[in-house]
């Protein structure tokens, strides 16, 4: 695994010192789970969920009791401005 | 009134008979918080004592949990009470709404003492992955409490509350319950709403609780269970009524060589149960299956913690969280998805099938909860794989979405989906036979 590349995909800041330690631990974990390749899974369908439920719908109506006020929605943000969340620039 | 002896049933009876009051009971809990919390590192947040006493003074004792002190695992969003998931990422996070289960417990009159320490994001089976330090085992301060619901178990064992909520994705209720000599309950996936509970692996997370006895466990479930329009994975299935059973004369208990129980199985024959061998060959691959599917779902669920709308940003993630996010990202990435995630999902099907076949012949399956007793704090912390192996007997249950009840002696019963009442009956019979002291 290219730890650098995966950390980038996962948006995880990783300092160089940690990279080597993670690389060896992740290699060990991947070696462990790769044992699954040996299990015979021919013609077996994958399981994504075990509820047996399908297409659970609700009416397209607004539930007033569940709406957060703007103040509530912003209350845990580190940076806000005029009632907006402040995010880092996406233009690089 | 000794809080350590009190079960929910005994407390409610004591209130009814005016032998003691809710104020006395919560005061005793708060005294135990003062006495033990620093040493054992149990609760990350304790609610204001004045608020707790005032609630106890005014609570309607006719409510099902009226005046019963409880502790919530810190994954349960609690309106206006800091909720951290055991992680520095959420160290300063205060929810603005309650999880459905929290709302139900409050409506039933339960009094929330505080929020329990846990492995960060529920990643762990010892409690040592908490970003706020591990919780010590209630019976020996050198030993791990078990995890990830470590604080929940120890809070009950040390008399800080009478019951505590937890989550179980791979054993996180059953392991700490067993290692602190308590009853741990994991419901069928979809029995209890996950709304407002910080997600770990959304297709495995189960919402349960830790109590002192089986009757209390069944009682709490009667309050938390139910279809929730806010959680589309909850089912519209009525909870069966459990009946206390003195014998197990018409019960068939499955024993699998993959889940070695040793002598425990004989106690059940003494109670009249029939022991039947079953085969669960694919659970020998359950741990590998789990450690592909869970990190994959984790990598998705933890993507939201970008430090913008809430939380302190992704550099605050601890090492285990980072490891799991990276394993999951890799397993789901282009070129590796088929070999890892899709393969694991197929093996998951085989595990589900093994259980379904076994349950054609038996009512429940008996299994140990863990392969070993609790290790010393710090013993395994440098080897992630060693810690993962503590879950070999618990993870198959979550992959198949089954209910399981773990008992203070370190065994668990696994039932088919929706069979909770059967687990409680059998557990209750075993409990009476084993004469547990609370």
């Amino acid at each position: 695994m290219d730890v650098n590349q995966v950390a980038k995909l996962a948006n995880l800041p990783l300092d160089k010192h940690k990279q080597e330690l993670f690389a060896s631990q992740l290699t060990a974990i991947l070696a462990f789970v790769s044992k699954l390749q040996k299990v015979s899974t021919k013609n077996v369908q994958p399981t994504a969920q075990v509820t047996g439920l399908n297409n659970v719908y609700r009416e397209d109506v607004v539930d007033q009791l569940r709406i957060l006020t703007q103040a509530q929605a912003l209350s845990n943000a580190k940076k806000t401005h005029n009632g907006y969340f402040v995010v880092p620039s996406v233009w690089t | 009134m000794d809080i350590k002896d009190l079960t929910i049933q005994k407390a409610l009876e004591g209130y009814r008979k005016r032998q003691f009051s809710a104020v006395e009971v919560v005061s005793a809990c708060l005294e135990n918080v003062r006495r033990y919390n620093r040493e054992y590192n149990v609760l990350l947040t304790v609610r204001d004592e004045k608020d707790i006493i005032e609630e106890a003074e005014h609570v309607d004792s006719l409510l099902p949990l009226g005046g019963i002190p409880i502790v919530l695992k810190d994954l349960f969003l609690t309106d206006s009470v800091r909720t951290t998931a055991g992680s520095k990422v959420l160290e300063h996070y205060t929810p603005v709404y309650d999880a459905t289960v929290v709302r139900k417990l409050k409506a039933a009159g339960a009094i929330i003492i505080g929020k329990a320490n846990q492995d960060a994001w529920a990643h762990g089976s010892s409690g040592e992955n908490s970003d706020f330090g591990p919780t010590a085992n209630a019976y020996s301060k050198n030993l791990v409490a078990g995890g990830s619901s470590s604080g929940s178990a120890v809070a009950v064992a040390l008399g800080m509350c009478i019951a505590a909520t937890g989550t179980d994705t791979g054993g996180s209720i059953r392991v700490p319950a067993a290692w602190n000599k308590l009853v741990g309950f994991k419901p069928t996936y979809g029995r209890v709403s996950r709304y407002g509970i910080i997600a770990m692996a959304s297709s495995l997370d189960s919402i349960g609780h830790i109590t002192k006895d089986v009757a209390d466990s069944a009682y709490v479930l009667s309050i938390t269970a139910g279809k929730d329009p806010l959680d589309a994975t909850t089912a519209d299935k009525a909870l069966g009524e459990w009946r206390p059973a003195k014998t197990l004369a018409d019960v068939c208990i499955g024993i699998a060589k993959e889940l070695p129980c040793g002598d425990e199985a004989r106690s059940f024959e003494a109670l009249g149960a029939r022991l039947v061998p079953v085969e669960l060959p694919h659970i020998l691959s359950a741990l590998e299956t789990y450690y592909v599917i869970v990190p994959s779902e984790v990598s998705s669920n933890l993507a939201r913690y970008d430090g913008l709308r809430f939380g302190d940003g992704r550099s605050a993630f601890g090492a285990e969280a980072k490891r799991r996010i990276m394993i999951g990202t890799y397993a789901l990435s282009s070129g590796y998805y088929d070999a890892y995630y899709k393969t694991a999902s197929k093996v998951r099907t085989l595990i589900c099938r093994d259980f379904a076949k076994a349950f054609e012949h038996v009512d429940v399956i008996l299994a140990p909860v863990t392969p070993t007793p609790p290790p010393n704090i710090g013993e395994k912390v440098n080897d992630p794989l060693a810690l993962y192996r503590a879950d070999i007997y618990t993870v198959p249950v979550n992959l198949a979405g089954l209910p399981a009840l773990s008992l203070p002696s370190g065994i668990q019963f696994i039932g088919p989906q929706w069979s909770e009442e059967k687990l409680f009956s059998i557990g209750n019979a075993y409990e009476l036979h084993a004469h547990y002291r609370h």
Side-chain angles (χ1 to χ4, degrees):
Chain A
M1 181 202 284
D2 179 348
V3 175
N4 237 322
Q5 169 65 0
V6 173
K8 219 185 287 187
L9 282 177
N11 190 18
L12 274 185
L14 268 194
D15 60 75
K16 271 214 147 69
H17 163 68
K18 290 282 177 59
Q19 264 176 46
E20 274 175 35
L21 174 61
F22 277 130
S24 67
Q25 289 176 335
L26 294 174
T27 300
I29 296 171
L30 284 177
F32 170 63
V33 300
S34 295
K35 292 199 274 174
L36 284 178
Q37 314 295 341
K38 301 210 176 90
V39 180
S40 169
T41 54
K42 197 161 167 212
N43 298 323
V44 177
Q45 290 304 308
T47 291
Q49 52 104 345
V50 294
T51 65
L53 297 171
N54 232 341
N55 296 335
V56 177
Y57 292 113
R58 65 172 176 86
E59 288 303 314
D60 186 16
V61 291
V62 171
D63 179 357
Q64 297 291 344
L65 295 173
R66 275 188 62 213
I67 298 179
L68 299 181
T69 63
Q70 189 174 29
Q72 284 174 319
L74 293 167
S75 64
N76 281 292
K78 287 214 134 50
K79 296 202 197 126
T80 64
H81 179 72
N82 287 346
Y84 292 91
F85 294 107
V86 173
V87 305
S89 171
V90 297
W91 314 115
T92 46
Chain B
M1 180 272 297
D2 184 352
I3 184 72
K4 294 231 173 112
D5 290 334
L6 272 194
T7 60
I8 296 173
Q9 303 308 318
K10 286 201 192 126
L12 292 174
E13 191 187 334
Y15 294 159
R16 230 176 2 252
K17 293 182 174 168
R18 298 193 191 288
Q19 289 167 340
F20 44 77
S21 68
V23 172
E24 283 172 74
V25 170
V26 305
S27 299
C29 291
L30 290 170
E31 180 52 41
N32 284 323
V33 171
R34 269 189 290 273
R35 190 179 297 158
Y36 299 117
N37 201 36
R38 178 154 296 144
E39 232 181 317
Y40 290 80
N41 200 21
V42 185
L43 302 179
L44 295 176
T45 302
V46 183
R47 286 183 63 224
D48 192 303
E49 288 201 17
K50 284 205 286 333
D51 292 341
I52 292 174
I53 302 284
E54 204 183 316
E55 276 174 24
E57 274 167 0
H58 296 111
V59 72
D60 177 357
S61 58
L62 293 176
L63 290 172
L65 287 175
I68 300 296
I70 64 171
V71 152
L72 304 172
K73 182 175 188 178
D74 218 10
L75 289 177
F76 288 63
L77 259 56
T78 314
D79 193 344
S80 310
V81 181
R82 184 181 73 150
T83 296
T84 68
S87 171
K88 287 264 156 83
V89 171
L90 294 181
E91 189 173 8
H92 307 106
Y93 172 66
T94 305
V96 294
Y97 64 99
D98 281 328
T100 293
V101 165
V102 175
R103 189 178 47 77
K104 285 184 169 187
L105 291 168
K106 282 181 178 176
I111 298 179
I112 299 165
I113 301 291
K115 309 300 296 298
N117 195 7
Q118 53 164 102
D119 286 295
W121 312 103
H123 299 166
S125 42
S126 70
E128 293 168 291
N129 288 331
S130 167
D131 286 355
F132 302 100
T135 299
N137 190 295
Y139 290 88
S140 168
K141 275 182 278 180
N142 298 324
L143 301 180
V144 303
S148 61
S149 310
S150 39
S152 298
V154 176
V156 177
L158 291 179
M160 297 179 181
C161 60
I162 300 180
T165 65
T167 63
D168 189 311
T169 305
S172 289
I173 286 172
R174 292 166 283 157
V175 172
W179 284 355
N180 288 278
K181 305 196 210 288
L182 295 164
V183 173
F185 174 68
K186 176 213 172 292
T188 308
Y189 178 88
R191 176 64 88 182
V192 178
S193 172
R194 292 176 299 111
Y195 178 77
I197 297 172
I198 294 171
M200 177 186 175
S202 305
S203 80
L204 289 92
D205 289 352
S206 294
I207 312 306
H209 42 270
I210 297 175
T211 55
K212 294 177 188 174
D213 69 9
V214 173
D216 276 5
S217 195
Y219 191 69
V220 173
L221 182 65
S222 71
I223 293 168
T224 59
K227 181 173 161 71
D228 182 12
L230 304 180
D231 176 356
T233 61
T234 54
D236 197 1
K237 285 213 154 58
L239 192 55
E241 265 209 50
W242 78 283
R243 270 171 293 121
K246 285 243 173 65
T247 81
L248 297 177
D250 47 6
V251 173
C252 221
I253 298 182
I255 309 285
K257 69 175 183 309
E258 296 87 3
L259 300 168
C261 282
D263 287 332
E264 281 297 337
R266 303 234 190 86
S267 332
F268 297 95
E269 284 183 310
L271 285 167
R274 214 160 43 95
L275 302 182
V276 173
V278 294
E279 287 182 354
L280 302 168
H282 294 96
I283 67 172
L284 294 175
S285 302
L287 201 61
E288 294 90 328
T289 305
Y290 181 89
Y291 278 105
V292 171
I293 293 179
V294 166
S296 299
E297 296 190 7
V298 161
S299 71
S300 174
N301 281 324
L302 267 47
R304 70 196 65 174
Y305 301 101
D306 52 16
L308 299 175
R309 291 158 299 156
F310 41 75
D312 284 19
R314 295 174 83 71
S315 46
F317 276 126
E320 184 61 31
K322 287 187 173 163
R323 272 192 290 270
R324 295 197 189 200
I325 291 169
M326 285 194 282
I327 295 279
T329 303
Y330 182 74
L332 292 172
S333 64
S334 173
Y336 298 103
Y337 176 90
D338 283 357
Y340 287 100
Y341 185 77
K342 197 159 171 196
T343 301
S345 301
K346 291 180 179 181
V347 180
R348 185 176 185 179
T349 302
L350 297 174
I351 291 167
C352 292
R353 275 193 209 160
D354 279 3
F355 275 114
K357 248 204 320 231
F359 286 127
E360 285 169 17
H361 307 292
V362 300
D363 295 306
V364 297
I365 293 170
L366 184 66
V369 177
T370 53
T372 62
N376 288 318
I377 294 176
E379 201 175 296
K380 293 198 181 146
V381 135
N382 290 316
D383 182 359
L385 276 177
L387 276 171
Y388 293 170
R389 291 196 183 97
D391 290 335
I392 47 169
Y393 302 139
T394 44
V395 303
V397 171
N398 300 80
L399 289 166
L402 306 173
L405 183 69
S406 71
L407 293 169
S409 59
I411 58 165
Q412 58 174 327
F413 295 103
I414 304 164
Q417 288 178 309
W418 318 116
S419 68
E420 286 88 347
E421 76 278 7
K422 227 183 277 184
L423 298 177
F424 294 132
S425 286
I426 296 172
N428 177 251
Y430 176 79
E431 197 176 53
L432 289 171
H433 177 72
H435 306 303
Y436 291 119
R437 274 191 66 241
H438 296 297

